[in-house]
Amino acid sequence: RRILHALFPVASRMGRLAESVEAAFVQYNELNYLREQLKLSFAMTLTLVLLFSIVSAVWAAIYSARRLAQPIRDLAAGTASVAAGNYAMSLPVQSNDDMGFLVRSFNDMTKRVAIAQAEVNDQHGYLDSILGQLSAGVIALNSNHEITTINNSASAILGLESIETSQKTLGEVAKSKESLVPFADGVLPFLTQQANRWEQEIAIFRPSGRRVLMCRGTRMPLASEEDFGYVIVFDDITALIQGQRDTAWSEVARRLA
């Protein structure tokens, strides 16, 4: 065999083009070889990005829902606390939107209720102090004739120091203490008739003897026109009647003498 080897000069521009074509061909072969691996890599990358996006979206949704629901949960807990009697409840204000305005309004309401409750407690304490200093007996009843307030003088006059009278009717108290039956029988007819004002002299029998009570009652409206109670005020006039009798007998004895 014979081989003819010929050399021809080529322009530099053609050489550069040939080299670039060769490099592109080599790169194409490499990419063609790595195409399946690249597809797998792209698929895994896109899958990870999608999972990360889904997790981020779920986390953002949960965070937003909790942030939106937290003031509502606080309001529900505060309402339950106020219903239980804790008027010092104050909720944190976390935003300046409508929900923040609602929370501030709730705090203002509880503050006003706490102030009003303190004033009512002061008034009750003042009233209890006054009732405790009265020599006359005072009993307050609700519309069901249940005893809501009774002062020390009333307990002493009726002999109720050792008996629990709160939220009991006069009839129930009279059943537990026989000496109060005449008092209950004398008062209950006026309560049943719903008399606005009445006055009655009632005699009861205590272990220490017969007691004469001058009783006066008044119908007292409460929260509404349909809701009312009664206040009964009575004095032990046994000594007064006995003094009048003694005076009368002394006068008769003086005249006879």
Side-chain angles (χ1 to χ4, degrees):
R1 291 185 177 182
R2 293 181 174 83
I3 297 175
L4 177 62
H5 185 200
L7 296 177
F8 299 95
V10 180
S12 61
R13 180 172 178 275
M14 294 296 293
R16 289 194 300 270
L17 289 176
E19 291 176 358
S20 64
V21 169
E22 184 179 2
F25 181 74
V26 172
Q27 185 177 7
Y28 170 77
N29 289 332
E30 292 178 354
L31 293 176
N32 188 34
Y33 176 76
L34 298 175
R35 181 174 61 180
E36 296 300 329
Q37 288 78 3
L38 290 175
K39 285 183 179 181
L40 181 60
S41 299
F42 286 152
M44 293 181 62
T45 303
L46 292 176
T47 302
L48 292 176
V49 171
L50 179 60
L51 291 176
F52 179 77
S53 300
I54 294 174
V55 172
S56 299
V58 171
W59 179 84
I62 295 174
Y63 175 78
S64 300
R66 287 183 176 179
R67 185 171 182 180
L68 291 175
Q70 186 62 39
I72 299 177
R73 288 197 296 267
D74 292 341
L75 282 175
T79 303
S81 180
V82 171
N86 182 16
Y87 301 115
M89 170 64 66
S90 180
L91 302 178
V93 180
Q94 300 178 352
S95 62
N96 294 322
D97 53 5
D98 293 340
M99 187 59 67
F101 174 77
L102 183 60
V103 173
R104 284 193 295 270
S105 300
F106 177 84
N107 290 336
D108 293 339
M109 180 196 69
T110 54
K111 186 182 297 183
R112 294 179 181 178
V113 171
I115 295 174
Q117 182 68 22
E119 293 177 353
V120 170
N121 291 335
D122 293 340
Q123 292 295 329
H124 283 174
Y126 179 71
L127 181 60
D128 292 339
S129 178
I130 293 177
L131 292 178
Q133 300 300 321
L134 292 178
S135 60
V138 179
I139 299 177
L141 309 174
N142 58 18
S143 57
N144 296 324
H145 305 164
E146 296 173 343
I147 298 175
T148 57
T149 302
I150 181 170
N151 67 345
N152 295 332
S153 297
S155 298
I157 294 174
L158 300 178
L160 299 176
E161 295 90 343
S162 60
I163 298 178
E164 177 62 33
T165 60
S166 178
Q167 303 302 321
K168 290 184 178 181
T169 64
L170 282 177
E172 293 173 347
V173 174
K175 290 180 181 179
S176 61
K177 195 171 184 63
E178 186 178 357
S179 61
L180 295 181
V181 174
F183 179 81
D185 292 341
V187 170
L188 288 178
F190 296 100
L191 303 182
T192 304
Q193 298 170 7
Q194 299 183 2
N196 290 329
R197 292 179 181 274
W198 53 270
E199 183 175 332
Q200 179 72 17
E201 184 177 307
I202 301 174
I204 62 174
F205 295 90
R206 294 283 309 280
S208 58
R210 183 174 181 269
R211 297 285 185 92
V212 180
L213 307 179
M214 178 57 67
C215 303
R216 299 176 179 85
T218 303
R219 183 179 177 181
M220 179 179 61
L222 298 178
S224 62
E225 296 181 356
E226 299 180 356
D227 194 12
F228 57 89
Y230 291 95
V231 174
I232 303 173
V233 181
F234 53 91
D235 291 292
D236 186 355
I237 60 174
T238 305
L240 178 61
I241 293 178
Q242 185 64 37
Q244 291 177 349
R245 289 178 179 176
D246 293 342
T247 302
W249 281 110
S250 298
E251 183 65 22
V252 170
R254 185 181 64 80
R255 291 182 179 183
L256 291 178

